[in-house]
Amino acid sequence: MQQNHHEETIPGSMWTLAVGVLVTVISLWVGKNLSWTMPEQASLQAPLVDNLFDILITIGTALFLLTDGAIIYALIKFRHRPGDETDAAPIKGNLPLEIFWTAIPAIIVIFLGIYSTDVFREMGGLEPPGHHMGGSHSEMAQVMTAPDPDNESSKYGVGAAPDKQNVPADLQVKVTGLQFAWLFNYPEAGIMSGELHVPVGKEVKLELVATDVLHAFWVPQFRIKQDVMPGKPSQMRFVATKTGVFPIVCAELCGSYHGGMRSKIYVHTQEEYDAWLEENAIAAKNQDAVETVAVNTQDLSDEEFLAPYSSDLGIDRDTLSEIKSLASAITETAYQ
Amino acid sequence: MTQTKPSQITVAGSVENTHANNGHSHPEKWEWYHYFWYNTDHKVIGIQYIVTAFMFYLIGGLMAMAIRIELFTPDVDFLSPEVYNAFMTNHGTIMIFYWIVPSAIGGFGNFLVPLMVGAKDMAYPNLNAIAFWLNPLAGAFLIGSFFFGGSQTGWTAYPPLSIITANTAQSLWILSIVCVGTSSILGSLNFVITTWKLKVPTMKWTQLPLFCWAILATSLLALVSTPVLAAGLILLLFDINFGTGFFRPEMGGDVVVYQHLFWFYSHPAVYLMILPIFGIMSEVVPVHSRKPIFGYMAIVYSSMAICAVGLIVWVHHMFTSGTPGWMRMFFTITTLLVAVPTGVKIFSWVGTMWGGKIRYTCAMLFAVGLLLMFVVGGIGGVTLGNAPFDLHVHDSYYVVGHFHYVLFGGSVFGIYAGIYHWFPKMTGKMLDERLGRAHFLLTFIGTNLTFFPMHILGLQGMPRRVALYDPQFAELNQLVTYGSMILGLSLFPFLVNVIWSWVAGEDAPDNPWEALTLEWQTTSPPAIENFDEDPIVTHGPYDYGIVKLNRTPAEVSE
Ligand SMILES: [Cu+2]
Ligand SMILES: [Cu+2]
C-alpha cells in the first residue's frame, strides 16, 4: 500500500490533501442538500431527526467516496498487465494502518452514539418510564386486553421533550388501531373520529392501543413512529409546527389490506380547531356514543379511499360498515 | 495454463502408502445420478445444496417479479392482497432460509471446508447427508403451505397476526423453518468438529484458510442462536393450534416477547448470511489480486468480534416496538459498534487489492461489485442503527433498500463470485468468461437501479409490505420495477453459461487460478476421497509473491 508513497513523498501528500479537501467538500454539500429526500418538516422532532440524518449522510458520503474511490483507483492502477506472469509484492499487512482504520471508525461510532443519545433525549425518546401525565383519564375504564393502560402508556414510545416532562399535554387523544382503520377518541369532548385533528403549536399526547393485531402509527412529516399493540398501550407525544393535512400511515404489517390502512392528520390553527371541536361536540351530544362512531368513521374520505379497491378486495359498503360497527363496539368497551 | 502445480504442496507419492480402498466401497467417480440420491460425500452434498438452493432462488425470484409487477401501479391490480402477502412472505423466507443460508454455508461450506483443511470428508458424513435432506423436506412443507393460501404474515411472522391468518399455511411454514433450523444446527456441529479435528496436523491455525474461519464463526453463531428461534416458533405453533396463549394478549400473553425470541436469532441470521460470504471474499480477492490477504489475523478476529457483538444488537429491529427508551439507546450503541469489525474486513480487502496485479476474472468482478455495494449497505445500516433516525424509517422502503444492498449486493454477489471461482473445481469445467461478464454487468446495473431508489421511497414515507400505495410514489416504483426486470434478465446469461459449460464446456485444469489453498492441489473435480495422501502444508494459504508457482510443465521439479 505504501511503495508509491515512499517513492514520491511530496506529490503523494499533495494528492492526499487534494483528495481530502475534495471528499470533505462533496460530503458536506451532500449532507446539506438532503431535504429533497424527505417530506416537509411538520413537528418539533422533525428537524432533530433531519439534522442527525444530515450528519450520518455526510460521514457516510465521505466513507463511501474514500472506500469506493480507493477500490476503483486500485482496479485501474493495479490491474494485471498482459504478459506479466509474476505475483505482486507480498505485503501481508501494516499494523499502524490496521490500527488506524480500526480506531477511526471506532471514534466515529462513539461520537455518533453520544450524539444520537442526545437527539433521542431531545425528541422525548428517553422520557422516564412510569411517568404519569396529569389529565383527564380518571374516568377511563380498563381496557379489556390491558390491565392498566394508564401506567403502561408512557413506557413505550415517544414521550415529552426534556423541558416538558412535568407539563401535562394540552390535548390527549386515544388512538385505536384495528384492521384496517384508525379511530381517534377525544375523551374530554366526547368525540370519536376517523381522522385526527390537532391544534398547531400545542403539546399533543396520543395514547395508542390496538384491538386485534400489531399496527404502527407513522406520520412521515413528523418523523416519528410507534407500534400500536394489543395488550401493550404505547404513547406518542408531539408538537405540530405547521398547519396542513398530513398522512397517517400504518407501518406494521397487519393483514391483506395493510397498504390501505391510512388516515389523515389535520393540523389546524387554534381557531379552526376550536370550531371543529365545537361542531363535533354538538353532534356527539345529539347522539349516543356508538352512533357517533358509526357516523364519523364512515366519513367520505375513507369511502373515497376504498372505492378503487372495492371490487378487488371485496370490501364494499356493507363490509365497511360491519368493520366500523365492530370497531365502535370494541372501542366502547375500551374507552366508555 | 496447461499444468500448474505449486511445488511446495508436497503430496507424498509412494504407491504402497495409499489410503484408497481401505474398506469403503464406492465407485471410482460419481455419475450424474449419484447427485439425486442420499450420498455422504461432502462434495456431492455441497453441490446438492447449491443446486437445490438455486432452484429456490429462481422460485423466490419469480415471486419478486410478481411483487414488482404489482407495485408498478399504486392500485391492487395484478395479485390479490392475500396472494401478494403470501408472495412477499415467501419471497423473504425462500431467499433467506432456502437460498442464501443453504448455498453459502451448506453449499460452499460443505464442498470446501474438508478440502481446504486437507480432510477426506466431513467429520460425520451421515449427519451431513441427513442435514441436507431436511431441506427438501422443509421445501415440501413450504410449497405445501401454498395449497392452504400460503403464510401471509411476513418472514417475521409476528403474532397476533400470525395466529389469526391462514392457520394451516402458517403452521406448515413454521414446520418448514424448524426443519431448516435443525438442518443448520446439525450442519454447524459438523463444521465445528471437522475444522477442529480433521485439519491436517501440518496446517497451523494461522494457516487455516479464512473461509474456514468464517464457516467456523458462522457455525458457532448458528449453534447459539438457532435454538432460540426454534423455541419461539414452536410456542407460536402451539398458540395457533393447541389453544395456548404465549403471544395472545387476550390470554395474558405478550406479543413483544415473540419479537425478542425471533430477533435474537434473526439478527445473527444476517451474519449467517454474510460471514460465509466474507469468507468467500477472503479467498477470491487475494487469488485474483495475486497478493497475500492484507491483515489475516485482523480478519479472523473481526469475524469473532462480529459474532460476539452480533449477539447483542437484536433490539435494533424493535426500536418502534414495545421497548423502553433506555433499551433503544443501549442497542443503538451496540449496533453502531458492529460497524468497526465490518469496516476492518472491507478495508483489508481493499488493502489486498492495493498494489496487487488484479485480474478481471468474473469471480473478481463479482467480488469487487460486492465491495462497492456493501459499503452502501453498511452506511445505510449505520444510519438505521440510530434509534432517533429509525423512528422515521423503520418498516419503510428505506429498510427494504438497505437490506437488499447487504443481502443482494452483498450475499448474492458473493455467492456468484464463489460460483465463478470454484465452478472449475466443482465440475471440472470452465465457465465462459464473456457470458459471465454480461451476467455481471446486468446484475450490477439491475441491483443499483432496483434497490437504490427504495431508500428515497422510504424516506418520503412509503411503508414496506404494502400491495397498494399512495400515488405520489408511483414514479420511483416504476423505476424500481424496471430495475428488477434487468435483474430478472441477468439470470439468462448465467443459466446458459452454467448449463452449457457443465455439459460441454472446456475441461478445467486442476488449478486454473494458480491458487495456493489445498482444494486447488487436487484434481478438478477432486477424487472421491479428495487427496491420495494427507497433504503436507508448508506455506500459508495466501503466500502469493512468496511461494513461487511453477507455471510451465518444464519447470516442475522432482
Ligand atoms: Cu398495517
Ligand atoms: Cu439486525
Side-chain angles (χ1 to χ4, degrees), chain A residues 180 182 213-216 249-255 257-259 261:
Chain A
F180 301 96
W182 296 106
V213 298
L214 300 171
H215 305 274
V249 181
C250 174
E252 182 65 62
L253 178 65
C254 58
Y257 194 51
H258 163 57
M261 184 165 163

Side-chain angles (χ1 to χ4, degrees), chain B residues 424-429 508-512 519-520 522-527:
Chain B
K425 182 55 63 182
M426 291 178 171
T427 64
K429 302 284 184 183
D510 292 348
N511 192 0
E519 79 274 24
W520 298 104
T522 181
T523 50
S524 295

Side-chain angles (χ1 to χ4, degrees), chain B residues 64-243:
Chain B
M65 295 280 111
I67 288 170
R68 284 319 314 176
I69 293 169
E70 172 61 66
L71 294 176
F72 193 73
T73 60
D75 298 340
V76 179
D77 43 21
F78 180 64
L79 303 170
S80 81
E82 287 78 15
V83 173
Y84 178 90
N85 280 356
F87 278 12
M88 175 273 290
T89 300
N90 288 282
H91 163 75
T93 306
I94 286 172
M95 293 310 197
I96 293 166
F97 293 109
Y98 292 84
W99 159 233
I100 296 178
V101 169
S103 63
I105 308 176
F108 289 106
N110 266 302
F111 190 91
L112 293 172
V113 168
L115 281 167
M116 283 179 161
V117 301
K120 288 182 189 305
D121 205 325
M122 295 284 279
Y124 306 113
N126 272 303
L127 191 70
N128 201 20
I130 292 166
F132 166 73
W133 284 99
L134 281 170
N135 282 272
L137 177 68
F141 281 133
L142 196 76
I143 289 163
S145 77
F146 273 87
F147 293 100
F148 303 93
S151 70
Q152 299 165 25
T153 57
W155 81 284
T156 50
Y158 279 3
L161 186 65
S162 54
I163 299 177
I164 61 167
T165 311
N167 283 345
T168 312
Q170 191 70 55
S171 303
L172 286 168
W173 181 89
I174 291 172
L175 289 176
S176 93
I177 301 301
V178 171
C179 276
V180 285
T182 310
S183 164
S184 165
I185 291 172
L186 299 181
S188 299
L189 211 62
N190 225 338
F191 285 124
V192 174
I193 309 284
T194 303
T195 315
W196 183 19
K197 290 286 183 193
L198 298 189
K199 178 172 67 60
V200 283
T202 49
M203 181 185 278
K204 299 190 205 93
W205 281 104
T206 51
Q207 292 174 325
L208 186 69
L210 287 164
F211 179 78
C212 298
W213 276 114
I215 292 290
L216 188 62
T218 310
S219 301
L220 292 172
L221 194 57
L223 286 174
V224 174
S225 60
T226 316
V228 179
L229 173 77
L233 288 181
I234 286 167
L235 296 182
L236 184 63
L237 189 72
F238 273 65
D239 272 13
I240 295 173
N241 294 295
F242 307 120

Side-chain angles (χ1 to χ4, degrees), chain B residues 263 266-267 270 313-314 316-317:
Chain B
W263 287 113
S266 293
H267 182 80
V270 175
V313 300
W314 76 91
H316 64 214
H317 299 273

Side-chain angles (χ1 to χ4, degrees), chain A:
Chain A
M1 185 142 234
Q2 307 69 25
Q3 276 185 336
N4 287 328
H5 287 260
H6 286 305
E7 281 164 22
E8 12 172 14
T9 311
I10 295 161
S13 59
M14 289 298 286
W15 274 113
T16 313
L17 186 68
V19 168
V21 170
L22 196 67
V23 166
T24 312
V25 168
I26 296 175
S27 307
L28 287 172
W29 183 83
V30 171
K32 287 293 155 226
N33 288 280
L34 286 169
S35 53
W36 65 275
T37 64
M38 289 277 203
E40 60 181 309
Q41 302 175 341
S43 76
L44 282 184
Q45 283 102 343
L48 295 170
V49 172
D50 290 7
N51 282 341
L52 175 64
F53 185 55
D54 287 0
I55 286 180
L56 290 169
I57 293 301
T58 305
I59 296 171
T61 307
L63 284 175
F64 170 80
L65 291 173
L66 288 174
T67 316
D68 279 20
I71 294 165
I72 289 164
Y73 178 79
L75 274 182
I76 297 165
K77 170 102 183 180
F78 304 115
R79 67 183 186 278
H80 168 250
R81 305 298 202 286
D84 181 358
E85 291 304 312
T86 60
D87 289 340
I91 298 159
K92 289 188 157 188
N94 180 331
L95 195 61
L97 186 63
E98 287 168 56
I99 291 172
F100 174 78
W101 70 37
T102 311
I104 295 295
I107 292 166
I108 292 175
V109 300
I110 288 167
F111 157 76
L112 282 180
I114 294 168
Y115 180 69
S116 200
T117 310
D118 205 47
V119 172
F120 204 53
R121 183 186 296 115
E122 279 297 303
M123 291 172 69
L126 288 179
E127 190 192 12
H131 184 81
H132 284 255
M133 312 305 299
S136 58
H137 29 56
S138 49
E139 82 277 24
M140 202 170 82
Q142 293 196 334
V143 179
M144 180 178 62
T145 53
D148 194 355
D150 201 22
N151 266 337
E152 293 256 317
S153 68
S154 32
K155 250 195 201 164
Y156 311 118
V158 182
D163 56 330
K164 292 283 168 44
Q165 282 183 358
N166 296 313
V167 186
D170 300 313
L171 169 66
Q172 300 203 27
V173 184
K174 297 182 192 307
V175 181
T176 309
L178 69 160
Q179 288 174 316
F180 301 96
W182 296 106
L183 296 176
F184 302 96
N185 177 18
Y186 294 70
E188 278 170 276
I191 296 172
M192 184 72 83
S193 166
E195 283 160 343
L196 181 57
H197 294 256
V198 299
V200 70
K202 290 286 160 65
E203 290 274 337
V204 179
K205 183 186 174 191
L206 307 180
E207 291 175 356
L208 308 154
V209 74
T211 57
D212 40 28
V213 298
L214 300 171
H215 305 274
F217 188 95
W218 180 25
V219 180
Q221 282 75 2
F222 288 8
R223 311 283 193 273
I224 44 178
K225 179 184 294 119
Q226 172 56 43
D227 282 11
V228 182
M229 300 164 282
K232 268 192 185 292
S234 52
Q235 67 162 335
M236 181 180 279
R237 195 159 149 163
F238 59 84
V239 176
T241 52
K242 254 189 200 132
T243 56
V245 189
F246 308 111
I248 295 169
V249 181
C250 174
E252 182 65 62
L253 178 65
C254 58
S256 50
Y257 194 51
H258 163 57
M261 184 165 163
R262 279 174 272 170
S263 182
K264 290 189 177 107
I265 174 166
Y266 290 81
V267 180
H268 300 289
T269 60
Q270 187 66 47
E271 299 75 51
E272 277 173 2
Y273 176 73
D274 290 339
W276 174 85
L277 208 59
E278 200 175 335
E279 194 181 304
N280 284 270
I282 291 165
K285 231 173 255 169
N286 292 341
Q287 298 156 314
D288 68 69
V290 178
E291 275 174 273
T292 312
V293 177
V295 172
N296 274 334
T297 55
Q298 262 193 25
D299 65 8
L300 245 180
S301 65
D302 272 21
E303 288 267 271
E304 275 170 359
F305 186 75
L306 278 172
Y309 315 115
S310 306
S311 52
D312 301 310
L313 294 171
I315 295 189
D316 51 18
R317 231 164 213 292
D318 294 341
T319 323
L320 184 66
S321 53
E322 227 170 78
I323 293 171
K324 293 292 163 75
S325 54
L326 177 73
S328 66
I330 293 164
T331 318
E332 196 192 20
T333 334
Y335 297 129
Q336 59 189 279

Side-chain angles (χ1 to χ4, degrees), chain B residues 386-437:
Chain B
N386 286 275
F389 175 64
D390 189 61
L391 289 188
H392 176 47
V393 287
H394 181 82
D395 267 334
S396 78
Y397 257 83
Y398 189 89
V399 178
V400 181
H402 156 69
F403 70 67
H404 279 96
Y405 260 88
V406 176
L407 293 181
F408 200 98
S411 300
V412 177
F413 268 65
I415 292 169
Y416 281 139
I419 291 175
Y420 282 98
H421 187 71
W422 281 294
F423 189 87
K425 182 55 63 182
M426 291 178 171
T427 64
K429 302 284 184 183
M430 297 303 289
L431 282 169
D432 184 86
E433 290 278 309
R434 280 160 309 166
L435 279 171
R437 281 194 286 272

